[in-house]
Amino acid sequence: MADLNGGIIGVDNAPEVLPETITTFNSSGTLTTASYTTAVEYLVIAGGGGSGGATVGGGGGAGGYRTATGFPVSASTGYPITVGAGGSGGANGSNSVFSSITSAGGGQGGGFQTAGTAGASGGGVGGRNSEANGAGGGAGNTPPVSPSQGNTGG
């Protein structure tokens, strides 16, 4: 009902503030948003890369790290989640994915006198004069995103 001055007459319904819910995934699954959810804060970390070898191999790079707030979602909707595994010796880590957000797996470490591979964080160079022989750490932030999800390996 309207008052003569155009105001509304009735009960003042204060907005309801609902508590935050933190959901953690240790394996792949589905995130289903609540009926009132319109935006989320996320943290997506990928699997780290494996080492380059038992004797003089470089260390694997860390998995990609992506985070933001206010990411728009639809209420009561399922979003697939992929949790990337760490790489075994001589393998890159696997990507982790939430909606359109992908964190790249870490690069594997280099072996004897070889370079590490590219990844969110590049794998480290292998040992024994590797840099003198032209080998280096793997490229980081691969594929490139902003802000960066990792650095070049050392």
Side-chain angles (χ1 to χ4, degrees), residues 26-38:
N26 295 316
S27 61
S28 299
T30 301
L31 170 70
T32 301
T33 55
S35 61
Y36 51 82
T37 304
T38 58

Side-chain angles (χ1 to χ4, degrees), residues 67 118 130:
T67 186
S130 295

Side-chain angles (χ1 to χ4, degrees), residues 25-28 45-50 61-64 82-89 91-97 103-107:
F25 287 87
N26 295 316
S27 61
S28 299
I45 301 175
T82 302
V83 176
S88 60
N92 285 359
S94 298
N95 295 348
S96 291
V97 181
S103 288

Side-chain angles (χ1 to χ4, degrees), residues 48-101:
S51 72
T55 313
V56 292
Y65 177 98
R66 309 271 315 269
T67 186
T69 60
F71 183 77
V73 294
S74 298
S76 302
T77 301
Y79 292 89
I81 304 290
T82 302
V83 176
S88 60
N92 285 359
S94 298
N95 295 348
S96 291
V97 181
F98 160 63
S99 185
S100 61
I101 306 302

Side-chain angles (χ1 to χ4, degrees), residues 38-51:
T38 58
V40 296
E41 178 177 356
Y42 66 82
L43 170 64
V44 181
I45 301 175
S51 72

